[in-house]
Amino acid sequence: MGPGNPFLVPIAAIVGAPIYANHAGVIPIIQALLLKGVPIGTAIVILMSITAVSLPEMMMLKKVFSFKLLGLFTLYLIISFIIVGYILNWIMV
């Protein structure tokens, strides 16, 4: 989980997606990860994916979106989180 791993940001986005929590509940986890040396961009990706792409969020959006549109929306969110994570890791080096 050190700063030299280029696959850490996509893994963080995918691992955080099925977890359900609110922002206030995730902040202590993010703080612990930052204290352990996880780059800031990776920590932000975990925060965003946990709160925005969780299963309950997708179940609520399923009532509004079709299955195809929901899949595209989720893919868009995960890709944008990964891009933001790489940019933040690059800036904060």
Side-chain angles (χ1 to χ4, degrees):
M1 291 197 76
N5 188 352
F7 300 111
L8 189 59
V9 174
I11 291 170
I14 293 169
V15 167
I19 301 171
Y20 175 66
N22 60 6
H23 284 291
V26 177
I27 296 295
I29 297 168
I30 301 303
Q31 181 182 12
L33 289 174
L34 290 172
L35 290 174
K36 292 292 184 182
V38 174
I40 187 77
T42 306
I44 295 296
V45 167
I46 293 171
L47 172 76
M48 291 187 298
S49 67
I50 286 175
T51 56
V53 191
S54 63
L55 184 62
E57 296 287 335
M58 295 302 117
M59 289 171 57
M60 286 186 279
L61 287 174
K62 178 65 180 115
K63 296 180 181 187
V64 180
F65 293 160
S66 67
F67 187 71
K68 183 178 179 180
L69 185 59
L70 185 63
L72 287 173
F73 178 71
T74 304
L75 185 65
Y76 172 77
L77 284 178
I78 290 176
I79 289 172
S80 62
F81 294 163
I82 291 170
I83 291 169
V84 167
Y86 278 129
I87 290 172
L88 284 174
N89 284 344
W90 179 67
I91 290 173
M92 299 298 217
V93 171

